[in-house]
Amino acid sequence: MSEIQFVDSVTELDILCQKMQHEPWLAIDTEFLREKTYYPKFCLLQIATLEWVACVDPIALEGQMSELFEIINNPNIIKVLHSCRQDVEIFYQLTGKLPAPVYDTQLVAPLLGLQENPGYAMLVSGFLNINLSKIHTRTDWSQRPLSADQMKYAADDVIYLAKIYQMMEEQLQKLGRENWLKEDFEQLMNPDLYDIPPANAWLKIRGKNKLTGKQLVIVQALAEWREKVAKKDDRPKNWILRDELILDMAKLQPVNIKELSEIRSINDGFVRRSGQQVCALIKAAQGKPGLKLKAKENSVKKTVKQEAVLDVLSAVVRLRAEENALNPIILATRKDLEALLFDEPGSLLLHGWRYSMVGKELQGLLQGQFTISVNKNDLTLHAQEV
């Protein structure tokens, strides 16, 4: 590996782009800040292969990175990332495009016997026997100049990622699992993951399942208003209105400034700036029909028989996991099985490698296409004769 190339001029960026466009894959990571903004502030882009590593300064090159983004969005180049959602969000925000295809090492790890959703430091330790330093975890990456230690810290993320990618690919090929995650990676390129409509912002507020349908209408109205204001002003949502205050307003339903001011923990400045608008939103929402949560969000109590069916499904999962040398939790959790039992859309067991390994079989079992026989040492599924 050559020395770290720090790219903060158009000339250097042109040279890097010439090098990048001929690569079949690129290990990529980003550094950003989000504590004081709605949108992530892009501070550093790290890129590596097994032969070279570069750190690009998007602050110095603001508005001049279109060629680099075209390469990152090139469908013929695999973008290797770890826990890619936040990195992809930055690229989508800046270019309006998703950098397909991606390869997320966090998703690959469980197929190789590691725990689900492992952190990057755990992967580096497990694959390379290297313990990553945490000294710059809280670095303000927007500050310039960056020190040599900061540059090395940032570059290590992609240097090791490139090595881990190669090792993962070799192990997956030996196991015949190199294509298992194709659909999972494709799902990461769904724009809905990165651009949530303001009208749906209320669905992310915790604690709403304890409210009535009429109260939920108010939660939706206030969350939508907050999302729009946060985007327009580029400020964190909770700086505008905290989730717990949205829930309190939905319960108490203030329709004038006096009632709003009496809510515990309400900020006087918020009341002055936005009180009239918020009260008007609440009043308008009171006249709308109530909302309903999905069964999962309502936490519907299961019957004894449904719990027994879930136990049977769990037994099949354990068998198939054992056959494929996987942790059963990686294959399907209890919640995954509940989603399948209650026909919830988006169940993990109806997509990708999980569907091939056990989901299709479980679906058939629930539809009466299979029976189960048991003896002291085994449990076997039998296809029903048509």
Side-chain angles (χ1 to χ4, degrees), residues 155-168:
D156 279 348
D157 282 349
V158 285
I159 290 171
Y160 299 142
L161 185 61
K163 295 177 181 178
I164 290 170
Y165 168 63
Q166 290 293 287
M167 296 170 74
M168 282 184 158

Side-chain angles (χ1 to χ4, degrees), residues 4 21 58 68 70 76-77 88-89 110 115 127 142 145 163 180 188 199 227 242 250 270 285 333 345 377 386:
I4 302 167
Q21 65 183 351
L68 182 143
E70 283 183 18
N76 297 315
I77 300 175
V88 170
E89 181 185 1
Q115 72 176 50
F127 279 90
S142 68
K163 295 177 181 178
W180 279 21
L188 288 170
E227 197 79 12
R242 299 193 311 276
F270 172 82
T333 65
N377 300 307
V386 181

Side-chain angles (χ1 to χ4, degrees), residues 214-333:
K214 285 287 191 178
Q215 291 170 336
L216 289 175
V217 178
I218 295 172
V219 171
Q220 183 189 41
L222 294 177
E224 180 177 0
W225 170 81
R226 180 183 68 172
E227 197 79 12
K228 290 178 179 178
V229 172
K231 285 185 174 183
K232 181 175 72 71
D233 296 345
D234 194 19
R235 295 168 60 209
K237 290 184 291 187
N238 279 339
W239 282 22
I240 296 162
L241 184 61
R242 299 193 311 276
D243 283 3
E244 55 266 33
L245 278 173
I246 288 180
L247 296 177
D248 286 344
M249 290 180 191
K251 294 172 186 174
L252 298 171
Q253 301 187 21
V255 292
N256 57 56
I257 294 297
K258 180 179 182 300
E259 292 175 352
L260 184 65
S261 302
E262 291 172 353
I263 294 178
R264 185 178 179 181
S265 301
I266 198 78
N267 181 281
D268 290 340
F270 172 82
V271 174
R272 287 194 303 272
R273 289 188 305 272
S274 306
Q276 294 285 2
Q277 190 173 8
V278 164
C279 288
L281 286 169
I282 293 171
K283 195 168 185 178
Q286 288 175 331
K288 296 180 180 179
L291 291 172
K292 289 185 179 180
L293 293 172
K294 295 177 182 177
K296 180 179 179 181
E297 293 175 297
N298 263 326
S299 301
V300 173
K301 188 175 181 180
K302 293 173 285 296
T303 66
V304 172
K305 290 183 178 180
Q306 286 171 333
E307 292 285 6
V309 171
L310 289 169
D311 289 339
V312 172
L313 299 182
S314 296
V316 177
V317 168
R318 288 197 295 274
L319 287 177
R320 299 299 174 253
E322 174 68 21
E323 292 169 359
N324 289 278
L326 292 174
N327 185 326
I329 296 298
I330 303 303
L331 184 51
T333 65

Side-chain angles (χ1 to χ4, degrees), residues 41-231:
K41 182 178 180 181
F42 192 18
C43 299
L44 196 67
L45 171 63
Q46 305 99 283
I47 309 170
T49 66
L50 293 175
E51 287 75 39
W52 56 264
V53 58
C55 292
V56 182
D57 185 353
I59 297 175
L61 293 165
E62 186 175 4
Q64 303 176 84
M65 295 174 61
S66 58
E67 184 181 358
L68 182 143
F69 287 136
E70 283 183 18
I71 296 170
I72 288 177
N73 290 330
N74 187 333
N76 297 315
I77 300 175
I78 298 169
K79 276 64 67 171
V80 181
L81 305 107
H82 180 82
S83 187
C84 75
R85 292 275 292 268
Q86 290 184 313
D87 304 302
V88 170
E89 181 185 1
I90 289 175
F91 299 135
Y92 185 64
Q93 170 202 331
L94 292 172
T95 71
K97 298 179 181 179
L98 293 164
V102 296
Y103 183 104
D104 193 328
T105 54
Q106 190 174 64
L107 296 185
V108 176
L111 299 188
L112 301 176
L114 281 76
Q115 72 176 50
E116 191 171 21
N117 299 323
Y120 181 63
M122 181 180 293
L123 284 194
V124 173
S125 176
F127 279 90
L128 303 173
N129 198 28
I130 294 172
N131 293 320
L132 288 178
S133 168
K134 297 182 179 179
I135 190 170
H136 294 296
T137 302
R138 303 299 298 173
T139 287
D140 181 348
W141 293 100
S142 68
Q143 297 297 311
R144 296 293 184 271
L146 296 173
S147 70
D149 281 348
Q150 288 173 319
M151 291 284 292
K152 184 179 184 307
Y153 175 90
D156 279 348
D157 282 349
V158 285
I159 290 171
Y160 299 142
L161 185 61
K163 295 177 181 178
I164 290 170
Y165 168 63
Q166 290 293 287
M167 296 170 74
M168 282 184 158
E169 278 295 274
E170 289 175 9
Q171 292 184 32
L172 285 174
Q173 288 173 13
K174 286 180 182 177
L175 294 168
R177 299 176 181 176
E178 61 268 32
N179 294 318
W180 279 21
L181 286 166
K182 183 175 182 293
E183 187 175 337
D184 298 69
F185 291 157
E186 289 173 351
Q187 288 178 354
L188 288 170
M189 296 294 96
N190 181 354
D192 291 342
L193 295 175
Y194 310 100
D195 190 14
I196 299 172
N200 292 339
W202 71 286
L203 296 171
K204 288 199 165 188
I205 295 181
R206 294 182 179 179
K208 64 184 179 297
N209 58 309
K210 297 179 181 179
L211 302 183
T212 67
K214 285 287 191 178
Q215 291 170 336
L216 289 175
V217 178
I218 295 172
V219 171
Q220 183 189 41
L222 294 177
E224 180 177 0
W225 170 81
R226 180 183 68 172
E227 197 79 12
K228 290 178 179 178
V229 172
K231 285 185 174 183

